[in-house]
Amino acid sequence: MIQLQNLHKEYRAGKHSIPALTGINMNIEKGEIFGVIGHSGAGKSTLIRCINLLERPTSGKVIVDGVDLTSLDARSLQEQRRYMGMIFQHFNLLSSATVAENVAFPLELAKRPKVEIRRKVNELLALVGLEAHQDKYPAQLSGGQKQRVGIARALANDPKVLLCDEATSALDPQTTNSILTLLLDINKKLHITIVLITHEMHVIRSICDRVGVIDGGKIVEMGKVADVFLKP
Ligand code: ADP
Ligand code: ADP
């Protein structure tokens, strides 16, 4: 579903360049939950942001469902991005919009008919268990509820891929587990490929099929979770 080929990313800082990714190669299969783990500064965030080209790689290819995103013009890229949802550590919700409005937002951007938006928002709120909270504002929600809104919004355009950028790092352990359970449920029910980055081993252990270990901008190990992390 996702192929990263010889991906390099350098950030410019004045006359210096900071290498963040130095030759990433990986294939993420359709339907799997793939985790990337590494220490702070290892390149996780850069890597996941290169998958939807929020960050443009310096060189290399990003092929999603057969399309090389690095070759697209702005308009085609915007279209392809609809098929990739993303959730964030700090949720990135619109604070002046209600739960329902936050979830409706990507559908409005896609200019879907009002009736369809209403139906889809209801369906998504039911999926994440927030029907009773649809008229609340983000400030009235717990962290876990905010991330549920983030997930519903990310799924609005029926993506093939869900990218999770440290999605549980701001949550307590119990809430983390409830969000991970929801992600697993979404993966199974909707057959969505999930890529997540985390610095927490237990996140990888609890829901990932495969894992890549990133260090200094390189994948230093990759395989089934049980094979990479043999020890309990
Ligand atoms: P992680 O998510 O694993 O903490 P990042 O992808 O954020 O790692 O960072 C990888 C490297 O790139 C680090 O050395 C970091 O300092 C650098 N970096 C990240 N973002 C930027 C940026 N916008 N400008 C300059 N350097 C950056
Ligand atoms: P928190 O612990 O921060 O409240 P959770 O992620 O545990 O966050 O739950 C968020 C909301 O979703 C709560 O209102 C909870 O009642 C509801 N909820 C949790 N799990 C489910 C579920 N499986 N089905 C429906 N609603 C749920």
Side-chain angles (χ1 to χ4, degrees):
M1 175 58 81
I2 301 170
Q3 293 162 270
L4 305 179
Q5 296 179 353
N6 201 18
L7 213 59
H8 285 75
K9 173 69 186 181
E10 284 175 15
Y11 291 105
R12 294 235 138 257
K15 44 187 173 169
H16 301 284
S17 78
I18 301 163
L21 300 177
T22 55
I24 301 280
N25 289 291
M26 58 169 66
N27 287 330
I28 297 171
E29 307 294 336
K30 193 171 160 67
E32 79 174 329
I33 304 185
F34 191 97
V36 176
I37 190 166
H39 297 299
S40 177
K44 302 181 294 295
S45 185
T46 304
L47 176 59
I48 202 160
R49 292 162 63 86
C50 278
I51 296 178
N52 59 4
L53 262 64
L54 274 183
E55 208 65 78
R56 190 164 273 279
T58 308
S59 62
K61 285 186 177 172
V62 178
I63 301 169
V64 178
D65 208 16
V67 178
D68 178 7
L69 302 186
T70 59
S71 72
L72 300 178
D73 59 32
R75 195 200 165 114
S76 314
L77 177 60
Q78 198 178 16
E79 215 164 278
Q80 290 299 319
R81 276 214 187 104
R82 294 226 172 105
Y83 302 112
M84 280 184 280
M86 191 164 192
I87 60 174
F88 306 90
Q89 178 171 6
H90 298 294
F91 324 120
N92 297 9
L93 302 179
L94 302 169
S95 57
S96 60
T98 64
V99 166
E101 287 164 354
N102 267 280
V103 177
F105 189 63
L107 295 161
E108 270 153 18
L109 282 184
K111 299 197 173 12
R112 298 289 182 77
K114 270 209 165 58
V115 186
E116 188 196 322
I117 294 178
R118 197 61 244 166
R119 182 189 56 74
K120 188 73 189 175
V121 168
N122 287 337
E123 180 190 312
L124 289 163
L125 291 176
L127 178 73
V128 302
L130 285 181
E131 300 111 307
H133 304 284
Q134 60 172 310
D135 296 322
K136 289 188 179 165
Y137 289 87
Q140 298 172 282
L141 304 177
S142 70
Q145 291 171 332
K146 285 181 201 166
Q147 196 55 291
R148 285 170 187 272
V149 178
I151 291 169
R153 180 184 57 182
L155 297 177
N157 283 314
D158 299 315
K160 302 169 193 167
V161 173
L162 179 63
L163 304 174
C164 309
D165 187 349
E166 296 278 8
T168 57
S169 299
L171 305 175
D172 63 60
Q174 201 185 334
T175 309
T176 292
N177 287 336
S178 83
I179 293 298
L180 293 177
T181 303
L182 177 60
L183 291 176
L184 192 57
D185 196 40
I186 284 164
N187 167 259
K188 298 285 170 269
K189 238 192 236 166
L190 308 178
H191 310 291
I192 292 177
T193 306
I194 297 182
V195 184
L196 66 86
I197 62 164
T198 180
H199 59 280
E200 295 177 305
M201 180 93 89
H202 77 91
V203 168
I204 301 282
R205 281 185 191 284
S206 72
I207 63 165
C208 293
D209 301 307
R210 287 196 302 146
V211 61
V213 181
I214 188 169
D215 190 24
K218 275 193 163 54
I219 297 292
V220 293
E221 225 180 321
M222 183 156 52
K224 289 194 176 144
V225 173
D227 297 335
V228 174
F229 301 127
L230 277 176
K231 294 185 284 291

